[in-house]
Amino acid sequence: MLTQAIGDLLPSAVGVAISPVPVIAVILMLATPRGRSNGPAFAVGWVAGLVVVSAVVQLAAGGASDPDSSSSTGVEWVKVVLG
């Protein structure tokens, strides 16, 4: 069950990880005089933004009926946490 969740999320995680936008932003921020404080602040904000978007999508799609999915909501939250 956990390996299936990881397999389902892996393509999306790789896409987010290699996206050029955060890479360019981190390089530009680290080149500034306050790079040591801007870099971690950006990383925390990026992760927080992904968590918020994932939670909103999870809540919005939580009421949708999918005949292929199980009725337990624990699996979906595992996917959100791993994502």
Side-chain angles (χ1 to χ4, degrees):
M1 178 167 68
L2 184 61
T3 56
Q4 183 181 4
I6 292 172
D8 290 343
L9 291 174
L10 194 57
S12 297
V14 170
V16 169
I18 62 173
S19 174
V21 174
V23 173
I24 293 169
V26 168
I27 290 171
L28 290 175
M29 280 189 289
L30 291 177
T32 64
R34 294 183 46 200
R36 283 192 184 254
S37 62
N38 289 343
F42 174 79
V44 169
W46 182 259
V47 171
L50 290 176
V51 168
V52 168
V53 168
S54 298
V56 168
V57 169
Q58 178 65 25
L59 291 174
S65 61
D66 185 8
D68 295 333
S69 68
S70 64
S71 63
S72 67
T73 59
V75 176
E76 289 85 16
W77 284 109
V78 168
K79 288 181 180 181
V80 169
V81 169
L82 290 177

